[in-house]
Amino acid sequence: MTTYTVISRPPTPKPAVGEEGGPAVVSSGPDGVDVVTFGCRLNAYESEAIRARASADGLSDAVVFNTCAVTNEAVRQARQAIRKARRERPDARLIVTGCAAQIDPAAFAAMPEVDLVLGNAEKAAPGALLDTSTRVRVNDIMSIKETAGHLIAGLKDRARAYVEVQNGCDHRCTFCIIPFGRGNSRSAPAGEVVDQVRRLAAEGYNEVVLTGVDVTSWGTDLPGQPTLGQLVGRILKLVPELPRLRLSSIDAAEIDPDLFKLLETEPRLMPYLHLSLQAGDNMILKRMKRRHNREDALKLVSEVRRVRPDTAFGADLIAGFPTESEEAFENTLKLVEEAGLAFLHVFPYSARPGTPAARMPPVKGPVIKDRARRLREAGQAGLERHLQRQVGRVLSGLVERDGVARAEDFTEIAFAGEAASGQILAFRVTGHDGARVIAELAA
């Protein structure tokens, strides 16, 4: 059963986790318009563009579902939420958009509860949410050449802001349907990104997160093919008043020399990298059509730790990819400890129609479930090792809300007392509870 947290402002968006593609979040406005967001940070970002457009266009009494297609479960949850919304709000206008709607608009159009289906390119266009001339408007996403980065000044929660620098993906991993929902990779111009970050810093935000579908591919479609490292360097140079800059995730195959140098020399670039690893076995990585192997991943982690020892690592990992033997799975399981991964997002493999992996010999469902459990247990052990290393240290933490802050390396900090959201304070770590460190405000 899907449950929602109804909030008056966007929550801290998180990447899709587990087999459910991330919890759904409902953002409710005074105009009777709810935006229900499934999945990743980018969807959360774009839901704010949808909300802004709904308000500007005067939309009222409506529910917009910004769907995720990363797993079958994410799609199922969206359909369940749509049916529930129709029962609870029989007169509201129900609009479905996002990756699942882009990939399979006919499935949502066939639902009698749905009034309008919009593609990813149309979901924040002027007037799109009000137009009743046709029930389905989903264009060829591969024809889209621009990002949506200009739509809003940044997704903001109480503590930090997010800026979309890139959308789409040029890679065709055999398990992934997302390129067909997002289109080819396209980058926001560097000047536009810098301007957004500068505005956010002027508003008092102490941390900005750069986000996208495949962030490390930023610049490949721009004149001169600048790199993500060059963009990060430009932001840090031209917005010196920004205390913290963070990357949402990176591809282990695409960290460029400029970015590596900044990790070594620039303390304002946060020492946390979330890696899109997916597996730790070379044969499975090859069948996934990933561009790195196990040795590449371990080398990257080692080299980053050599120049920035305080860097923490997280990773996306898939359990039960087709043809995965027990030996292959053990290689992925061992990678968690060998790479010192502290923050895992574990995805039980979910066959997506139209992907090459869906035609490969499958692993049995109970085996997939068990392997996902074992990976999560390894992840928990990795997290506890990481937390134990923090005990006795003084950490710089960005206060997210009363009693909760986030360290530079992404460690969650629980503390007693009140502090204003968005402040950066020093915390002395006294222990941990297996999920976060326990700390007190340092004098």
Side-chain angles (χ1 to χ4, degrees):
M1 191 69 153
T2 304
T3 58
Y4 302 134
T5 301
V6 181
I7 55 176
S8 59
R9 66 171 71 205
T12 303
K14 297 180 180 179
V17 294
E19 67 268 33
E20 298 174 340
V25 175
V26 180
S27 178
S28 300
D31 48 11
V33 176
D34 292 343
V35 180
V36 185
T37 306
F38 296 83
C40 64
R41 282 189 181 97
L42 193 57
N43 256 16
Y45 179 102
E46 292 174 348
S47 286
E48 284 308 292
I50 292 169
R51 165 148 310 285
R53 176 51 57 196
S55 178
D57 288 352
L59 181 68
S60 61
D61 193 19
V63 184
V64 183
F65 298 88
N66 196 12
T67 62
C68 172
V70 70
T71 63
N72 291 326
E73 178 64 14
V75 178
R76 187 196 68 79
Q77 285 195 1
R79 294 172 65 86
Q80 181 185 57
I82 292 164
R83 295 188 184 101
K84 180 180 178 183
R86 178 56 74 206
R87 291 193 301 270
E88 295 179 350
R89 297 182 59 178
D91 298 323
R93 181 170 169 79
L94 301 192
I95 302 168
V96 184
T97 186
C99 288
Q102 176 70 45
I103 291 166
D104 193 0
F108 290 99
M111 296 181 68
E113 297 88 354
V114 173
D115 296 302
L116 177 64
V117 180
L118 293 175
N120 268 333
E122 293 78 29
K123 61 186 177 184
L129 300 169
L130 293 174
D131 192 346
T132 58
S133 61
T134 181
R135 190 162 170 261
V136 179
R137 290 198 301 283
V138 179
N139 291 328
D140 178 10
I141 196 69
M142 297 301 176
S143 69
I144 305 302
K145 303 300 182 185
E146 296 180 351
T147 67
H150 62 282
L151 291 173
I152 58 175
L155 169 62
K156 307 164 191 176
D157 60 40
R158 295 172 182 169
R160 59 179 58 79
Y162 297 78
V163 174
E164 178 188 342
V165 301
Q166 181 275 342
N167 205 332
C169 184
D170 290 338
H171 313 305
R172 296 296 181 263
C173 299
T174 59
F175 57 84
C176 188
I177 197 70
I178 297 305
F180 301 98
R182 289 288 179 177
N184 293 319
S185 181
R186 48 210 190 273
S187 308
E192 178 180 315
V193 174
V194 171
D195 287 345
Q196 285 194 15
V197 174
R198 185 182 290 114
R199 284 194 295 269
L200 291 163
E203 291 178 21
Y205 284 91
N206 284 326
E207 181 173 304
V208 169
V209 183
L210 304 184
T211 188
V213 175
D214 182 24
V215 176
T216 36
S217 70
W218 180 88
T220 56
D221 58 321
L222 296 176
Q225 294 189 322
T227 65
L228 178 63
Q230 291 170 345
L231 173 66
V232 169
R234 186 169 176 179
I235 292 169
L236 293 169
K237 179 180 179 180
L238 297 179
V239 193
E241 63 273 27
L242 178 70
R244 287 181 164 199
L245 184 65
R246 190 182 295 279
L247 302 175
S248 59
S249 64
I250 68 167
D251 191 319
E254 284 186 319
I255 186 166
D256 63 83
D258 290 309
L259 184 57
F260 190 87
K261 188 65 176 178
L262 287 168
L263 284 166
E264 179 180 8
T265 61
E266 180 50 76
R268 291 187 296 149
L269 180 59
M270 294 297 93
Y272 174 67
L273 296 179
H274 191 87
L275 306 176
S276 178
L277 294 182
Q278 311 306 347
D281 179 82
N282 284 340
M283 181 56 70
I284 294 300
L285 287 166
K286 185 175 182 180
R287 289 171 180 166
M288 287 179 167
K289 207 175 178 181
R290 300 295 292 166
R291 293 171 303 134
H292 70 275
N293 60 28
R294 176 191 181 85
E295 292 72 28
D296 294 332
L298 291 171
K299 181 181 178 181
L300 171 64
V301 169
S302 175
E303 289 184 347
V304 171
R305 284 210 174 100
R306 178 177 56 82
V307 299
R308 190 82 176 265
D310 59 337
T311 303
F313 291 87
D316 296 329
L317 292 173
I318 295 174
F321 184 81
T323 76
E324 183 184 67
S325 64
E326 180 62 23
E327 180 183 4
F329 171 71
E330 287 286 345
N331 284 335
T332 296
L333 195 63
K334 287 185 287 190
L335 183 71
V336 176
E337 183 171 357
E338 290 176 26
L341 302 177
F343 304 94
L344 292 192
H345 295 148
V346 176
F347 294 78
Y349 174 73
S350 176
R352 305 300 287 125
T355 60
R359 301 190 296 271
M360 297 179 185
V363 175
K364 293 181 180 179
V367 175
I368 294 176
K369 185 177 180 180
D370 180 66
R371 289 178 181 173
R373 175 190 60 78
R374 291 160 64 191
L375 267 180
R376 292 191 183 104
E377 288 175 353
Q380 179 61 33
L383 175 58
E384 291 181 13
R385 287 192 294 270
H386 170 76
L387 296 175
Q388 184 60 41
R389 287 193 293 269
Q390 312 311 310
V391 176
R393 296 183 61 200
V394 174
L395 303 179
S396 172
L398 179 77
V399 178
E400 295 183 337
R401 59 186 184 276
D402 283 348
V404 178
R406 188 73 64 173
E408 292 181 340
D409 67 0
F410 202 65
T411 303
E412 186 171 321
I413 302 169
F415 66 96
E418 295 183 0
S421 176
Q423 279 187 298
I424 296 177
L425 301 173
F427 299 89
R428 180 174 290 102
V429 179
T430 58
H432 72 85
D433 64 4
R436 55 191 182 173
V437 296
I438 310 300
E440 56 189 19
L441 287 169

